[in-house]
Amino acid sequence: MDHHKLHYLRTLISQGEHQQQDFKYRVQDANKLARSVSAFANTDGGRLLIGVRDDGTLSGVHSEEEIFMLEKAAKVSCKPASDIAFDTINAEGHTIVIANIPKAVRRPVLALDEHGRRTAYVRIKDENIAASPIHLEIWKQDRASTVIMTYSDEEARLIETLSLNKGETLNRLVRLSGLSRYRVIKSLARFIRYDIAKIIYEDGRFVFELALKPRS
């Protein structure tokens, strides 16, 4: 038994589930697993501890089939295929697999939702959440590498709307600003990329607010 690896595993388990770590008791569904891979790849990267129950006790991986499912989730069920590195640890008679998922260079990484639709996920605390239209637009702008930050009259109106209405959803901001949904999505994404606004997940929904007083 590799005592260094065992100590490393115990250290990870003691942290519990969080933004960059998830426990999986078993691997039974490649698509469900792919959602975790998508969420980590689209956020800050992370790792899956396979063969560990939610309470941190060891259950172990029971077959090569489970490891095959892991690889399928990363390479087949995710579009584009996500990079993933596997480490196996034998602990107390159990085989534990640690799957390390790096942050994707090109986002989004998509997985199939429960209805079979390709969906991007993000990792928020210890949850995998379907990405908002704003996330999709942020990633689109990141790929285009736009760096110019000037305010149009419409964006000035949206900033004023944000300053008067804290913690509103996308749909509410569209109504309150009187701007088109397309314009609000594009502008909110730009504001978030430049730390002018922030996106917050609360009560099962994404809301938005100003991050700082914008420069005039």
Side-chain angles (χ1 to χ4, degrees), residues 10-60:
R10 285 294 175 200
T11 300
L12 295 183
I13 290 173
S14 70
Q15 297 173 8
E17 294 182 306
H18 54 74
Q19 181 99 2
Q20 292 182 279
Q21 182 163 285
D22 200 5
F23 297 162
K24 293 290 182 191
Y25 163 53
R26 294 201 58 182
V27 179
Q28 295 174 301
D29 181 344
N31 288 333
K32 188 173 182 181
L33 190 69
R35 290 168 211 149
S36 292
V37 175
S38 164
F40 283 133
N42 289 330
T43 311
D44 298 315
R47 62 187 159 259
L48 290 162
L49 272 57
I50 314 293
V52 179
R53 296 185 179 91
D54 288 346
D55 64 2
T57 59
L58 305 182
S59 58

Side-chain angles (χ1 to χ4, degrees), residues 55-91:
D55 64 2
T57 59
L58 305 182
S59 58
V61 172
H62 300 292
S63 67
E64 289 293 319
E65 178 69 16
E66 289 196 53
I67 297 175
F68 171 76
M69 291 270 276
L70 276 169
E71 294 176 339
K72 181 182 177 186
K75 295 183 171 63
V76 180
S77 300
C78 288
K79 299 293 181 190
S82 173
D83 290 329
I84 191 165
F86 299 102
D87 190 17
T88 302
I89 297 176
N90 293 310

Side-chain angles (χ1 to χ4, degrees), residues 81-216:
S82 173
D83 290 329
I84 191 165
F86 299 102
D87 190 17
T88 302
I89 297 176
N90 293 310
E92 301 168 9
H94 299 287
T95 300
I96 309 301
V97 175
I98 300 176
N100 286 290
I101 299 109
K103 181 177 178 178
V105 175
R106 287 178 67 83
R107 297 177 289 176
V109 172
L110 305 175
L112 294 177
D113 68 9
E114 51 268 31
H115 304 293
R117 295 177 298 227
R118 290 218 172 272
T119 304
Y121 290 84
V122 290
R123 183 79 175 171
I124 300 174
K125 296 182 180 176
D126 62 350
E127 290 186 85
N128 304 325
I129 308 294
S132 74
I134 309 300
H135 289 105
L136 299 177
E137 178 62 27
I138 288 169
W139 298 328
K140 181 179 175 183
Q141 291 181 17
D142 282 345
R143 292 195 300 274
S145 299
T146 54
V147 293
I148 300 167
M149 189 65 220
T150 56
Y151 294 119
S152 66
D153 289 343
E154 289 182 325
E155 288 181 325
R157 191 193 313 174
L158 181 57
I159 285 175
E160 182 181 14
T161 303
L162 285 163
S163 70
L164 295 172
N165 303 274
K166 186 177 178 180
E168 294 287 1
T169 62
L170 169 62
N171 288 342
R172 283 277 297 159
L173 286 172
V174 169
R175 285 199 293 274
L176 289 165
S177 67
L179 301 172
S180 71
R181 183 181 173 85
Y182 171 82
R183 172 48 57 198
V184 172
I185 288 172
K186 288 189 77 69
S187 297
L188 274 177
R190 272 176 24 108
F191 294 166
I192 291 164
R193 290 178 69 232
Y194 288 94
D195 297 322
I196 293 163
K198 55 187 176 181
I199 183 169
I200 300 163
Y201 186 72
E202 62 181 27
D203 299 328
R205 60 186 190 164
F206 289 105
V207 297
F208 304 87
E209 61 183 56
L210 287 181
L212 49 82
K213 189 175 178 60
R215 291 186 293 271
S216 57

